[in-house]
Each structure stands twice: as structure tokens, then as C-alpha cells.
Amino acid sequence: MLTQDQIKELEKRVEELSIFHQVGKALTSTLDLQEVLTLIMGKISELLKPSTWSLLLVDEKKQELHFQIAIGRDASRIRDFQIKIGEGLAGWVAKTGEAAIVSDVTKDPRFSREIDGLIYPHIKSVACVPLKSKDRTLGVIELINCFEESFPSEDLSMLTSLADHAAIAIENAMYVKRIQELTITDDCTSLYNSRYFNYMIDAELSRSKRYNYHFALIFFDLDRFKSVNDTHGHLCGSRLLREIGNLIKSHLRDIDTPYRWGG
């Protein structure tokens, strides 16, 4: 005969298995990153009931964390914050790839009043785990005020497992994005390629006819570029093209699009 505690424990395990089944199904049925991450964060919310919970992604170029999902108290206010890698509790987790479970943030040296205290004015405790792929940290899940004295080890195990699923979803989305970029960009210059230009010019012509507006095209070439290859070699020529591509992109408006047409 099972005791009441044993029945509750079995019910919890069944619920956990159901959650992992739903998350696993989502991972194999859609490439929509936001859909999968929203499902994962929703399940974390059901189980752990934090006052505020968020998922932050790493921007490797800027070395910052930005909020991909933020739900709960003060959520609408914090979505525009960026956190430098290494700063505050989430920044520390992103930098080290280790979890931070803190019952009283005021006693933890990693806590920053200028960052954590500003983002979460009512913060008391935090459970913060990394989203890791191999040795690379892709993001952080942060739960605010979901426990008081100690964070149960089984809840940490559950949170870590869901973080691993979130990391898989993020990595899948990154691979898909990279493949899409490779099909429309030139490897050497990182500008859009002529195939994408042919597609976009048709779309722009149709749009300009429909809405009766003008648009401009600028074509230019590089004089004596062949002499660079002949004199200094093709590696030097490729480097020159890459530098020119970067120079072009740095002087464009958001609405302008650059292409490598020939060569």
C-alpha cells in the first residue's frame, strides 16, 4: 500500500515525464525557436512558480546577454535591458557556465545592485542555470524568488534538464539560420549574392509599381583588381574583397542592401 507521500512523488514524476515528452515533441516538430522556448519556460513556471522568470541569450559579438523571454512581475520593464557577460548573477553564469543558486542575494558577492537590483527590485532569491552546448554557453535561465531557504536538488535537476532542451532548440535555430545565410550570401565578402539580388530586384520592382515609389541602384566595380591577384596572390585579393564588403556595410542605412554581383 502506497503512502500519501509516495503517491505525490509518483504523480510528480509522471508530470515531469509528461513535460519532457511535450518538450521533446516540440523539438522534433518545429524549428520555431520562440515556440519551443516559450513552451519550456511555461513548464518551468508550472513546476517552480517563481515571481519572475526569464531566458536570456548570449550575443557573442557584443559580449552581452539580452532578454529573449521575460514573464511575471516587472517583466515588461526588463525586456530592453542588456547585461554584460561577467556582470551580475546572470552574467557570472554566462561567463563560467556554472549554475548559481542563491537563497539571499544580499549576502552573495556576485550580486550587483546596479544590475540585478535594478532589473529585479524585489529580488530575494535566485536560481540561475546556463544553457550549454558542449563547452559553449548559449544563454541563461533565471528564476526569481522561487524558493526560500534551499532549492531542492530534484528541482535543480529538472531545471538543468529543461535548460539542456532549450540549448538544443537554440543550437538547431542557429544551424538553420546559418544554412539560410549561406544560400543567399557570398562567402568572400559576406554581402548578399547575385541569386538573392535577382529575387529581391523582382520583389522591389513589383512593390514600386504597386505603391508608385522610386528606388535607386548603384553599381560599381574595382579598377585593376586583377593586378592585386596577379601581384600579391588570390588570398590577398580575397582579403581585399572582404575589407571592401565590410566597408560598404558600415556605411549603409538599415533599409539599404548590398550585393556582390559579379566576379
Side-chain angles (χ1 to χ4, degrees), residues 1-59:
M1 187 86 177
L2 294 175
T3 66
Q4 196 66 29
D5 288 342
Q6 289 174 323
I7 291 173
K8 287 183 178 179
E9 183 65 22
L10 284 173
E11 289 175 343
K12 186 175 181 180
R13 293 290 169 259
V14 169
E15 183 181 13
E16 290 176 359
L17 288 172
S18 174
I19 287 171
F20 283 120
H21 173 71
Q22 292 175 53
V23 172
K25 187 177 179 181
L27 282 173
T28 57
S29 64
T30 180
L31 291 172
D32 187 322
L33 176 62
Q34 191 69 20
E35 181 180 339
V36 177
L37 295 183
T38 299
L39 171 64
I40 291 172
M41 294 303 289
K43 296 306 177 184
I44 290 173
S45 171
E46 289 177 19
L47 286 171
L48 304 178
K49 298 177 174 57
S51 64
T52 303
W53 60 107
S54 54
L55 187 148
L56 302 91
L57 295 183
V58 170
D59 185 327

Side-chain angles (χ1 to χ4, degrees), residues 8 10 19-20 47 59 62 67 84 115 154 159 164 166 168 173 176 196 220 234 258 260:
K8 287 183 178 179
L10 284 173
I19 287 171
F20 283 120
L47 286 171
D59 185 327
K62 295 182 178 180
F67 286 86
K84 290 290 184 184
I115 299 169
E154 60 269 21
L159 180 59
D164 290 341
I168 292 170
V176 170
Y196 191 56
F220 68 91
H234 287 277
R260 183 182 180 186

